[in-house]
Amino acid sequence: MAEDLNVEVVAADRKVWSGEASIVIARTPEGEIGIMSGHEPVLGLLVAGSVTVRSTGGEAVVVAVSGGFLSVSENHIAILAEQAELADEIDVAAAQAELAELGEDREGAGRWAQARLDVAASR
């Protein structure tokens, strides 16, 4: 039987989620990457968007990240992001207001606001 993954999702100011998982799916500049038990070591760049962690209990934990890094070593995965929020924590009205205030500027803060809205819509 395959060993479970030990996953940590960490923002600059706090640990967002940690636990055991069967798979982690994240977005990189090249596209989505799925990590399961026994995956080769990887250090990758993440883009603003969602990270989905399928816990060993079958629950899907969806996190919005502002970008960051994904580190895989043995059966440990660390998601390191400057900003990260669980789907249930996202204030949709605040993210919409941020996006409206930024207008056409979709760099940095705009990508983060859009990522939060996309993740909130998936709950």
Side-chain angles (χ1 to χ4, degrees):
M1 181 172 156
E3 191 177 330
D4 293 334
L5 297 168
N6 179 10
V7 181
E8 292 181 292
V9 180
V10 181
D13 60 343
R14 68 188 179 114
K15 183 184 285 189
V16 177
W17 188 87
S18 68
E20 300 293 313
S22 57
I23 188 169
V24 174
I25 301 168
R27 293 186 181 152
T28 72
E30 291 80 28
E32 287 190 331
I33 184 171
I35 308 291
M36 296 177 74
S37 181
H39 198 284
E40 290 294 316
V42 171
L43 179 60
L45 186 63
L46 298 176
V47 297
S50 66
V51 172
T52 302
V53 179
R54 178 76 55 193
S55 73
T56 52
E59 172 192 10
V61 177
V62 183
V63 183
V65 297
S66 61
F69 297 93
L70 165 84
S71 172
V72 179
S73 178
E74 296 178 10
N75 280 330
H76 181 264
I77 299 176
I79 305 289
L80 310 169
E82 185 174 331
Q83 298 171 306
E85 288 183 50
L86 292 167
D88 295 339
E89 298 174 343
I90 296 171
D91 181 340
V92 173
Q96 288 173 332
E98 250 179 76
L99 207 52
E101 184 179 312
L102 292 167
E104 294 300 314
D105 176 23
R106 295 288 195 233
E107 297 299 315
R111 287 191 192 132
W112 170 232
Q114 187 62 56
R116 289 168 39 221
L117 289 173
D118 293 345
V119 168
S122 73
R123 5 175 201 197

